[in-house]
Amino acid sequence: QVQLVESGGGLVQAGGSLRLSCAASGRTFSNYGMGWFRQAPGKERELVAKISWSGGSTYYADFVKGRFTISRDNAKNTVYLQMNSLKPEDTAVYYCAAARTSYTNIDGRAPYWGQGTQVTVSK
């Protein structure tokens, strides 16, 4: 079992920044690929970014490329999502997910999820 706890969400004006954190416990964190997903009201959950176990490889959805950065610190068992140039359409609940697999395979079927953190971007 892996337990994931997100933090760092909040209310920010358009153009602002937030950094989300996802703290993991329970298993060897460095064995897991990690991802950030989001779900806006009335919409399906979507992948935002994901990162390999080493942090050496990353993937971003087109709608966040150049604005968001995913990173991880295996010594702290934490994955981060730095979000810059935020837009109102980035408003959603953000979830981190973990899977003991190549990060390329991380999708909505990942076995471990956090409870989510709300990000609200005002105009």
Side-chain angles (χ1 to χ4, degrees), residues 22-114:
C22 173
S25 62
R27 291 288 185 178
T28 305
F29 178 68
S30 59
N31 288 343
Y32 289 77
M34 302 292 296
W36 283 99
F37 294 74
R38 70 185 187 186
Q39 187 167 21
K43 295 187 177 181
E44 293 187 354
R45 184 168 53 191
E46 59 185 358
L47 174 66
V48 175
K50 50 189 179 180
I51 189 167
S52 64
W53 66 269
S54 69
S57 298
T58 57
Y59 167 87
Y60 296 93
D62 286 344
F63 52 80
V64 301
K65 280 182 180 177
R67 299 189 299 125
F68 292 10
T69 302
I70 189 171
S71 62
R72 66 190 295 163
D73 185 338
N74 286 344
K76 296 182 177 180
N77 288 357
T78 302
V79 64
Y80 304 98
L81 186 68
Q82 177 67 43
M83 305 186 295
N84 298 329
S85 303
L86 282 161
K87 305 175 181 179
E89 51 263 45
D90 293 319
T91 295
V93 178
Y94 283 71
Y95 300 89
C96 67
R100 192 168 181 174
T101 182
S102 169
Y103 81 107
T104 57
N105 295 329
I106 290 180
D107 59 21
R109 294 167 294 181
Y112 304 109
W113 293 83

